[in-house]
Amino acid sequence: MTSKGNITKKRASLPLGIWVLILGIIFAGANLRAPLTSVGPIIETIRQDTGMSHTLAGMLTTLPLLAFALFSPLAPKISRRVGLEYTLFGALLLLVAGIIIRSIPYITALFIGTAVLGIAIALCNVLLPSLIKREFPNKVGIMTGIYAVSMNLWAAVASGITIPITEGVEFGWRGALACWVLLSIISIVFWIPQIRVHHQTTSSLDTGGSLWHSRLAWNVTFFMGLQSTAFYVVVTWLPSILQQQGISPSGAGWLLSLTQFASLPATLIVSILAGRFSNQRWLVGLSVIFLLLGYAGLFSGITSLAPLSVILIGVGIGSAFGLATLFFVLRTHNAHQAAELSGMAQSVGYLLAAIGPTLFGFIHDVTHNWTILLLILGFGACLLFIVGMEAGSSNFVTTNQGNYRASTIKKKA
């Protein structure tokens, strides 16, 4: 079996091999949110064109999250059987198929394609942090930051350009959703060299026991779930909230894009800082403060405060996402533990997040306003702080007689 050291030597011996890997990670990350955030700005258009209710329209965001919940635990198992690179390559191929199916002019195809691309993204979500820990063990902060920034950057671009594309292409909103297949194809091109470098399976490698009895693992999981809930609720319904406050649909779409752009520097800076400290609790606190201030600005209903409010929300969400992704790496000892923790956290976490968009749509259908929902978001930020105090501690998740537990061994500062 090819060892980690041999893999690294193989890549080092290839011209620009390590840079191709980095570009592969960047472009793979670019595909993990853009196909989803492109839905939010045009969800009202989709709903009116198809006759769907707000509740059913919320399922366009909820379906991928359910796919994340169901398939995230399977990602480490598939990876150990067929290989990490092969699994990621297959996931990108599946993503292309999902985007194409989603664009077929039938409502059923819209939901089936959304579910398929959700499965593909679930596999990448779990395994990319594991790949980073394996290939860049001394650079996990900066590499995780670069990967997360790529994800958020393209999410922001998708939020901002979806409405102009919808208005400018012949096939309307379906054409706007289909265009993201080009980004997926570019990613596949960069991953072809990776499956040629490392194609051995890793099924004989022991990952340890179960994480389900670990308090630390559960806190990381709930932190992941709460920040994901905030992100997907904002992505889905922020344009509708802003439109109800008197902002134009195009302006609301660009403010959602501004939220994403504001998250970029926060994600990168927090990822770098978190990788340099043994304890990330103070970063958790800052993230929650930004979120609460942003929600308060939206709650006020003052449209002149909308740009500042969405920037604060973007900084808070970006910081929390960077921390959630890094916890998979910082709270574990090796790539296999990282994959297992990532699988658990994203499975349960996204199941929690899946409730958000549909529940918020249902509450809006009943109340016809967004006030209660903003209060719920504020309460969620407080819960994020509580679980973040444990997830941001300097403990490790480690193996003990077949189970994982929180290690009392502290990381060196």
Side-chain angles (χ1 to χ4, degrees), residues 294-376:
Y295 295 152
L298 286 182
F299 186 82
S300 72
I302 302 174
T303 55
S304 60
L305 289 179
L308 176 60
S309 298
V310 301
I311 288 173
L312 290 171
I313 292 172
V315 171
I317 288 177
S319 301
F321 173 73
L323 287 170
T325 305
L326 266 173
F327 287 157
F328 305 150
V329 179
L330 297 178
R331 301 285 85 90
T332 55
H333 289 292
N334 55 60
H336 305 295
Q337 286 187 8
E340 294 291 341
L341 179 57
S342 179
M344 173 186 171
Q346 298 198 53
S347 174
V348 179
Y350 280 124
L351 183 60
L352 177 63
I355 300 172
T358 301
L359 177 62
F360 274 42
F362 172 76
I363 293 175
H364 180 271
D365 284 340
V366 174
T367 63
H368 303 290
N369 70 75
W370 298 104
T371 302
I372 296 176
L373 306 180
L374 290 172
L375 291 174
I376 295 174

Side-chain angles (χ1 to χ4, degrees), residues 19 63 84 96 117 160 206 209 223 235 248 296 399:
W19 291 106
L63 265 178
L84 183 55
V96 169
L117 67 86
D206 182 23
F223 189 90
V235 164
S248 68
T399 304

Side-chain angles (χ1 to χ4, degrees), residues 24-188:
I25 292 172
I26 290 173
F27 276 97
N31 282 277
L32 302 189
R33 279 192 174 175
L36 303 179
T37 59
S38 58
V39 174
I42 57 174
I43 196 167
E44 287 297 324
T45 302
I46 296 173
R47 192 183 66 81
Q48 293 171 13
D49 186 48
T50 59
M52 288 188 289
S53 66
H54 282 90
T55 303
L56 189 58
M59 286 297 294
L60 291 175
T61 300
T62 300
L63 265 178
L65 300 181
L66 291 174
F68 296 170
L70 293 174
F71 286 88
S72 290
L74 301 179
K77 296 177 177 61
I78 297 172
S79 173
R80 289 196 299 272
R81 178 175 292 273
V82 303
L84 183 55
E85 283 83 355
Y86 270 146
T87 306
L88 287 167
F89 184 74
L92 292 173
L93 291 175
L94 193 63
L95 181 61
V96 169
I99 293 174
I100 293 173
I101 294 171
R102 182 175 67 169
S103 305
I104 297 174
Y106 294 97
I107 294 180
T108 303
L110 173 64
F111 284 96
I112 292 175
T114 299
V116 170
L117 67 86
I119 294 171
I121 294 173
L123 298 175
C124 293
N125 275 339
V126 171
L127 297 178
L128 279 172
S130 176
L131 178 72
I132 289 172
K133 187 173 183 68
R134 191 192 73 186
E135 296 296 328
F136 305 96
N138 299 319
K139 301 288 184 181
V140 292
I142 183 65
M143 284 304 304
T144 301
I146 291 172
Y147 148 70
V149 165
S150 175
M151 190 186 304
N152 291 335
L153 173 62
W154 283 97
V157 171
S159 299
I161 70 174
T162 297
I163 288 180
I165 292 177
T166 300
E167 296 172 346
V169 299
E170 180 180 354
F171 298 104
W173 60 266
R174 285 190 171 88
L177 296 181
C179 72
W180 296 105
V181 74
L182 299 175
L183 187 61
S184 300
I185 292 173
I186 293 173
S187 302
I188 289 173

